[in-house]
Amino acid sequence: MELRLLTALRAQNPIVFNIANFVTVQDVANGLNALGASPIMSAEVQEAETMVQIAGAVCINLGTLTELQIEQMRVVGRLANQYHKPVVLDPVAVGAVPYRKRIAQELLTTFDVAVIRGNAGEIAALADMDWQAKGIDAGTGTGDLISIAKACANRYHCCVILSGPTDVITDGTRVVQVHNGTPLFQLHVGSGDLLSSIVAAFTAISSDTFEVAQTACLVLAASGELVASQLTADRPATFTVELVDKLSLVTVPEIEAVESLN
Ligand SMILES: Nc1ncnc2c1ncn2[C@@H]1O[C@H](COP(=O)(O)OP(=O)(O)O)[C@@H](O)[C@H]1O
Ligand SMILES: Cc1ncsc1CCOP(=O)(O)O
Ligand SMILES: [Mg+2]
């Protein structure tokens, strides 16, 4: 685990170009900004090349995809590969909506991604493994999460983050699990979207994708855990606001004091 990467991210303030969804776009922008990255969002394919050129990394989120946005994703993904900018894909609800799964799998043949970040329902769907996803949420299943994450990583030749109560990070061979977090994340729509964009921010400052994926998971999960530990009741709105503040203020020693991974 390389928490020095958080210090480096705050020093470098990398631009993260997000093809976002209209549900959580501002949460993602504010969370990235608070952490120390520099978000930019765009829905116009005509400016795709400039966006990719100025960005340190790209995050493509399928949350509210449209045919127009899918074409933008194709163009941006190819440009990101051309300019050697890492791409993080957030395959929102591909386990619940066959159309989305088809689009995600088509995109994954169109350009290379550094990381796929999704919940169990989404990662299982991309790996064509049994799971019962529920809308945007993980849903339920009996499969082994590490096997599912590895299968996805090996199928698409990238790092995979299977997020949830425990985040499973794998490059298809190596596995690290981050046990930090809080159930309050499940009451905050946009937690996963924010994590995917934070992963992208870290990929902009280090080429060790497996390392940065773990670090990003730890930073967000530990920040949420620290916020939850100070709340006197499960308040979803307060958690959301406090989380953004914590992303701005959290220190490496604070994270080290609570980190739980194996
Ligand atoms: N029950 C939980 N307990 C602790 N942390 C959680 C829990 N559910 C999700 N998280 C955390 O919330 C963040 C978003 O993950 P997840 O909820 O899986 O994404 P999504 O919102 O895309 O379904 C991750 O940092 C994850 O560790
Ligand atoms: C509710 C919803 N619908 C389409 S995208 C979206 C937000 C998903 O956010 P997250 O996956 O981070 O919970
Ligand atoms: Mg999600």
Side-chain angles (χ1 to χ4, degrees), residues 211-223:
E211 193 63 56
V212 303
Q214 307 166 43
T215 303
C217 288
L218 177 60
V219 168
L220 180 62
S223 296

Side-chain angles (χ1 to χ4, degrees), residues 5 86 114 159 202-212:
L5 291 173
C159 268
F202 278 101
T203 65
I205 62 157
S206 169
S207 59
D208 186 340
T209 304
F210 184 54
E211 193 63 56
V212 303

Side-chain angles (χ1 to χ4, degrees), residues 92-93 95-96 119-122 131-140 186 189:
V92 179
N119 59 45
E122 293 156 347
W131 199 270
Q132 291 74 47
K134 183 180 179 183
I136 64 163
D137 294 323
T140 58
Q186 289 176 309
V189 172

Side-chain angles (χ1 to χ4, degrees), residues 23-86:
V23 177
T24 64
V25 56
Q26 189 166 18
D27 293 301
V28 170
N30 283 330
L32 277 175
N33 203 50
L35 184 67
S38 176
I40 188 164
M41 279 62 174
S42 166
E44 178 48 64
V45 70
Q46 292 302 318
E47 60 181 11
E49 187 157 19
T50 303
M51 285 290 175
V52 171
Q53 286 173 324
I54 66 173
V58 176
C59 187
I60 295 176
N61 183 296
L62 298 189
T64 49
L65 78 177
T66 63
E67 285 187 28
L68 201 60
Q69 195 178 52
I70 292 164
E71 181 52 24
Q72 182 200 15
M73 292 172 181
R74 289 192 191 100
V75 171
V76 166
R78 289 193 190 107
L79 284 166
N81 288 174
Q82 177 186 330
Y83 285 96
H84 307 293
K85 305 295 177 75

